[in-house]
Amino acid sequence: MGNKKGIIFAGAVIGFLSALLVWFGNPGNMGVCVACFIRDTAGAIGLHSVEKLSYIRPEILGIVLGAFIMAIIGKEFSTKGGSSPFIRFVLGFVVMVGALVFLGCPLRMVLRLGGGDLNAIVGLIGFAAGIFGGIIFLNKGFSLKRTYKLNKSEGYLFPIICVGLALLVIIAPAFVTLKAKHAPLYISLGVGAIAGILAQRTRLCMVGGIRDLILFKDGYLISGFISILVFVLIGNAVFGNLNIGFVGQPAAHNDGLWNFLGMFVAGWGSVLLGGCPLRQLVLSGEGNIDSVVTLMGMLLGGALSHNFALASSGAGPSANGKVAVIIGIFILLGISYFNIQKVKVKMKGDAKVDSSRC
C-alpha cells in the first residue's frame, strides 16, 4: 500500500463507503467525520446534553481498532509519548473548536465537497491557508520536542477503552445516550475498521498531503484525498444524495468568512500537531500516547463547544464561536512562536559551528 496506486485505492474505498454510510442512515455528507463523531461520543457519555448529537460513534472506534490490528500485524506498534503533552491537549481543543465552527473535520470537508456542498471550497481554502501559516513556523524551527519510549502496556489502554465503548453501544445501558442519527452499528464499525486499516497502511492524512505538496512538491498523500473526493462524488450520485450548491446543505452554513476561519484554525493547529484528526486516531491505534492526549483535548473541545454555544448550526456561526476562533488564532500564534527552537551558534575563527541539540 506504500505507493500512489495503493493510496488511491484506499481513498476510493473510503470515499465510496462514506457515501454508503449516509445511505444507511448517517447524517448527510457525514459518512465519517472525526470531529463530529468525537463530539457525539462526548454527548453520549454525558459531557454535553444535546441528545440529537449524542451517540458513541462506531466509526471512530473502528478506525482506532483497525489501525491497532494492522500496526500489530505489521510490527509497527510502538508505545511512545511525552512530546509536549499539555500543548497537544490544548491544540486538540483548538482544532476541535475550529472544526465545529466550520461544521466538520478535514475529512468531512472533502465529503461535503463530494456531496455538492460548495461551502466546503471556502473551508478548503481556509484549511490550506492555515497549513501554510503552520509551515512558516515549521521552517523557523517550531518543534514540540521528541517523544520517548513508554511501557508497552500503556499503548494498549486506548484500544481497550475503544472496545469498552463499542460494548456500551451494543448493550445500550440507560446511562448512555444513543439518540443521534446513525447507520446500523455493525456496518458503521466495519466501515471504520476498513478505514483504519487502509489509513494505517497508507499514512493517509489531509494535512500531510497539503503540507508535503507545498514543501516538497510530493503528491502522494494528497492523491488519497483526491480519490476520496472522486469516489464519494460517484457514491452520492449513485445513491441520490448529490446536491450541488451553497444553500440547503445538510449540517452546514454558508457564512464564508467563518467557514474560512474555522478551517484556518483547524489547518494551522493540525500542522503543529503533525497530522489531521483522522491521522491522530490512527496514531493512537499505533500506540502514540501524544495522539491519545490530543484526542482527549478534542473530546473536551467537542463537549464545551456545545455547553458554551461555540459550535455553529445550519443558521450560521454563533457569536461565542466567532470569539472562540479569534482566541484560538492567538493561542496558535503563541504556541507557534514560543516553541521555535533557537539555534545557538559558536564562532571559531571564521567558521560557524552549530551547537544546537534540537
Side-chain angles (χ1 to χ4, degrees):
M1 299 293 289
N3 55 55
K4 190 168 282 191
K5 288 183 180 178
I7 199 169
I8 290 173
F9 171 77
V13 172
I14 292 172
F16 191 80
L17 290 180
S18 295
L20 187 66
L21 280 175
V22 173
W23 187 73
F24 272 115
N26 270 15
N29 292 343
M30 202 182 293
V32 180
C33 174
V34 177
C36 304
F37 288 1
I38 289 176
R39 180 271 319 276
D40 291 353
T41 302
I45 59 177
L47 297 182
H48 70 72
S49 58
V50 184
E51 288 191 347
K52 67 179 182 178
L53 300 175
S54 298
Y55 182 64
I56 297 174
R57 290 288 181 178
E59 295 88 348
I60 60 172
L61 306 180
I63 290 170
V64 173
L65 295 174
F68 171 71
I69 291 168
M70 289 310 298
I72 294 292
I73 292 172
K75 298 182 179 179
E76 294 179 306
F77 185 85
S78 176
T79 306
K80 55 189 177 183
S83 169
S84 304
F86 189 63
I87 290 177
R88 290 182 183 276
F89 181 90
V90 172
L91 287 172
F93 185 101
V94 171
V95 166
M96 176 61 91
V97 170
L100 292 182
V101 167
F102 168 72
L103 290 176
C105 68
L107 177 55
R108 185 174 187 242
M109 176 180 67
V110 175
L111 299 183
R112 282 175 56 176
L113 189 56
D117 184 353
L118 300 182
N119 299 292
I121 296 175
V122 181
L124 178 59
I125 295 170
F127 187 65
I131 291 172
F132 184 77
I135 287 172
I136 292 173
F137 286 97
L138 291 181
N139 287 335
K140 288 180 178 294
F142 172 86
S143 173
L144 293 179
K145 300 292 185 68
R146 56 164 293 185
T147 58
Y148 298 89
K149 188 164 184 165
L150 303 175
N151 190 305
K152 199 166 187 177
S153 62
E154 190 168 355
Y156 294 130
L157 287 178
F158 190 61
I160 290 171
I161 289 172
C162 289
V163 171
L165 290 171
L167 290 174
L168 285 178
V169 184
I170 295 169
I171 299 169
F175 62 84
V176 175
T177 305
L178 303 171
K179 295 189 177 181
K181 186 178 180 183
H182 61 272
L185 166 62
Y186 295 107
I187 292 174
S188 298
L189 190 61
V191 170
I194 292 169
I197 288 168
L198 294 174
Q200 197 279 331
R201 297 309 300 160
T202 60
R203 308 296 188 261
L204 190 66
C205 178
M206 183 66 172
V207 168
I210 295 176
R211 178 201 63 207
D212 290 356
L213 190 65
I214 294 173
L215 282 176
F216 312 117
K217 305 298 185 290
D218 183 347
Y220 168 72
L221 288 174
I222 199 66
S223 64
F225 277 87
I226 293 173
S227 180
I228 290 175
L229 173 61
V230 170
F231 280 86
V232 76
L233 182 65
I234 293 171
N236 283 325
V238 169
F239 298 127
N241 290 323
L242 186 61
N243 174 31
I244 300 175
F246 285 97
V247 297
Q249 298 295 338
H253 63 81
N254 61 356
D255 189 320
L257 174 62
W258 295 100
N259 278 328
F260 177 93
L261 288 177
M263 288 312 290
F264 176 82
V265 165
W268 189 352
S270 294
V271 167
L272 302 185
L273 285 165
C276 66
L278 173 63
R279 184 66 181 149
Q280 300 302 323
L281 281 178
V282 171
L283 289 172
S284 70
E286 294 178 353
N288 191 315
I289 305 305
D290 290 332
S291 290
V292 175
V293 171
T294 299
L295 294 173
M296 294 305 101
M298 293 184 68
L299 185 74
L300 182 63
L304 295 189
S305 288
H306 286 279
N307 288 335
F308 298 116
L310 308 181
S312 298
S313 68
S318 67
N320 290 1
K322 294 175 182 179
V323 172
V325 166
I326 298 302
I327 292 173
I329 290 172
F330 281 103
I331 290 172
L332 292 173
L333 183 61
I335 289 174
S336 299
Y337 178 78
F338 288 109
N339 285 277
I340 293 174
Q341 305 305 307
K342 305 297 183 181
V343 177
K344 297 179 181 179
V345 178
K346 289 183 179 179
M347 299 294 294
K348 286 190 177 180
D350 295 327
K352 294 182 179 180
V353 180
D354 182 358
S355 63
S356 67
R357 292 293 182 268
C358 298

